[in-house]
Amino acid sequence: MIVAERKPFAEIAQAVAGYRRVLVVGCGTCVAVCLAGGEKEAGILAAQLDLAGQLAGRQQRFATACVERQCDREFLSELDAAAREHDALLSLACGAGVQFLAERHPTLPVLAGLNTTFIGVNQDVGRWDERCRACTDCLLSLTGGVCPVTMCPKGMVNGPCGGAVEGRCETDPERDCAWTVIHARLSDSDRLANLEVLVPPRDHSRANLPGRQAHAAYLRRYSSHD
Amino acid sequence: MDARYEPKILALICTYCTYTAADMAGSLRLQYPPNVRVVKLLCTGKVDVLHLLAAFKAGADAVMVSGCEIGDCHFLEGNLRAKERVAHAKELIAEIGLEPERLEMFHIGASDAPQWAKAVEMMTRRAKELGPSPLRKLEAAALAAEGVAA
Ligand code: SF4
Ligand code: SF4
């Protein structure tokens, strides 16, 4: 899932300071799971902004709404009527959701309440760890299910840098060397031969543009390359 | 500070422990400041951060949440959840510039009437030292503007 965290309150308060009617829009998927931008967090932030606005003597109103996902038009359409009643929208979605909402309401200021941090996993209630950098050419079948692009700070894809000390990364002794973990995993699953495979230089032509993909069924239906 | 200032304190307390203690304080005729307004809950685990923020919006000068002693919650961990939420709400009100000391968590057992009286005295003293909540003043001004007697 996408992990995000709330921006510092002062930054959000400053961003909304100039608007009288603000709709705080939560997103019910990834950012709700990481306790940053769901219905609950939207309610709390709106209550806080409301009190802060009163303390500052501003005439502001904060309402809340939450949709299932802000990265899907069918859910964003639910907000159209409410959006028209407001001077600004404060989105608590990941960066993708904020942009999709802004695209839908080009004449309204759409503000971001979160910092999107990474694609990660839920380790425990309230703790998340990064696992993938969306590199577009996944190596996990080769590397024992451990991502060298993400888990190795140098992104070494053909074996370790040589700096590891007792299995710890040379950049941070608190972390395991990704390649020590990969080696152990491949050894445990009897796939050490994978280490012989050379990964060619990455084809950056796929990654240096905003990503776009279409399902085969979509292409069949619309026979488009869009 | 205005010597006539009497703080309004909201107390969200659980029926099993603190409310029983408060009830007993009455039976024992213990004296404590009349500034506290009690709301009885089945369990402090029901208290939500949004309720705490709403109390300040409504003009409370201070808010106390009081549940059973640690380990004694009738619902096992409701008071522990309340404790976490009070800590979270303290951070939230500090962020907007309100003193976090206006909010406090207490744990008072059913038989501990004197402890309840002491907690109310302590919170009343604290609220007096802090002075009226700036939100309460604004609320009063807004009501006056609307021609409603505060
Ligand atoms: S190799 Fe790593 S960064 Fe690339 S897609 Fe796979 S998990 Fe993600
Ligand atoms: S020690 Fe291991 S994880 Fe750290 S930079 Fe080198 S190869 Fe990557």
Side-chain angles (χ1 to χ4, degrees):
Chain A
M1 65 186 231
I2 309 267
V3 181
E5 61 186 1
R6 205 187 74 176
K7 279 181 177 289
F9 182 75
E11 186 183 336
I12 300 176
Q14 199 192 356
V16 301
Y19 305 104
R20 231 173 52 76
R21 297 167 306 169
V22 180
L23 184 62
V24 183
V25 188
C27 178
T29 307
C30 304
V31 293
V33 178
C34 65
L35 311 177
E39 188 174 9
K40 182 81 188 193
E41 290 74 29
I44 291 174
L45 180 60
Q48 250 190 316
L49 286 168
D50 186 32
L51 294 182
Q54 274 189 52
L55 281 174
R58 284 193 290 265
Q59 295 284 322
Q60 284 181 297
R61 279 215 179 150
F62 296 91
T64 58
C66 187
V67 294
E68 192 64 32
R69 286 196 294 278
Q70 288 187 34
C71 52
D72 255 316
R73 283 204 183 89
E74 65 187 286
F75 297 117
L76 282 188
S77 65
E78 295 166 13
L79 289 173
D80 290 352
R84 281 193 287 276
E85 303 295 310
H86 290 85
D87 305 319
L89 308 178
L90 174 59
S91 167
L92 297 190
C94 74
V98 178
Q99 293 184 56
F100 217 28
L101 187 65
E103 208 172 302
R104 198 172 178 91
H105 300 284
T107 58
L108 271 181
V110 175
L111 311 165
L114 304 185
N115 287 325
T116 306
T117 42
F118 49 75
I119 302 178
V121 294
N122 202 171
Q123 291 281 25
D124 198 350
V125 180
R127 229 205 86 201
W128 300 272
D129 279 346
E130 184 173 14
R131 283 291 186 271
C132 174
R133 293 262 162 104
C135 77
T136 74
D137 194 5
C138 194
L139 302 170
L140 290 173
S141 305
L142 269 184
T143 56
V146 178
C147 171
V149 179
T150 310
M151 307 308 282
C152 165
K154 297 181 192 169
M156 306 291 294
V157 297
N158 280 306
C161 68
V165 181
E166 290 177 356
R168 299 300 184 138
C169 175
E170 75 167 350
T171 72
D172 178 2
E174 297 288 307
R175 289 177 188 272
D176 288 329
C177 164
W179 277 97
T180 305
V181 182
I182 292 171
H183 185 274
R185 193 72 68 73
L186 290 176
S187 165
D188 290 349
S189 54
D190 205 14
R191 290 184 286 169
L192 276 177
N194 282 10
L195 292 174
E196 315 258 330
V197 180
L198 266 186
V199 176
R202 178 173 308 287
D203 174 7
H204 286 286
S205 66
R206 285 196 70 193
N208 63 1
L209 290 169
R212 173 171 283 180
Q213 73 177 37
H215 193 275
Y218 177 93
L219 293 177
R220 275 196 301 277
R221 195 174 325 136
Y222 298 107
S223 59
S224 137
H225 295 286
D226 189 20
Chain B
M1 187 183 58
D2 186 345
R4 290 165 304 170
Y5 162 57
E6 285 298 338
K8 276 199 266 179
I9 302 174
L10 177 71
L12 303 172
I13 67 182
C14 84
T15 186
Y16 289 99
C17 288
T18 306
Y19 190 84
T20 308
D23 200 26
M24 189 189 290
S27 310
L28 290 171
R29 298 180 192 277
L30 292 182
Q31 295 296 311
Y32 60 83
N35 302 63
V36 68
R37 274 76 163 162
V38 168
V39 174
K40 179 170 82 165
L41 304 170
L42 197 52
C43 175
T44 49
K46 174 68 192 163
V47 175
D48 192 284
V49 167
L50 285 170
H51 299 148
L52 300 172
L53 295 177
F56 287 107
K57 178 163 169 68
D61 295 301
V63 178
M64 38 198 306
V65 178
S66 184
C68 306
E69 286 176 335
I70 303 285
D72 273 354
C73 176
H74 194 80
F75 300 101
L76 305 179
E77 52 180 54
N79 56 352
L80 300 179
R81 293 182 183 196
K83 189 169 168 247
E84 287 285 333
R85 291 179 192 147
V86 167
H88 182 201
K90 272 172 170 275
E91 291 168 7
L92 296 174
I93 62 171
E95 273 180 336
I96 65 165
L98 208 59
E99 301 89 343
E101 299 79 21
R102 291 188 186 273
L103 173 62
E104 208 57 73
M105 178 80 201
F106 298 86
H107 300 275
I108 299 172
S111 57
D112 219 348
Q115 195 58 38
W116 165 250
K118 258 194 240 161
V120 175
E121 274 165 23
M122 191 271 257
M123 252 349 239
T124 308
R125 209 178 320 117
R126 190 190 284 187
K128 284 192 173 166
E129 278 163 19
L130 289 168
S133 158
L135 288 160
R136 177 184 173 180
K137 283 191 259 174
L138 291 165
E139 187 76 2
L143 288 175
E146 285 170 26
V148 183

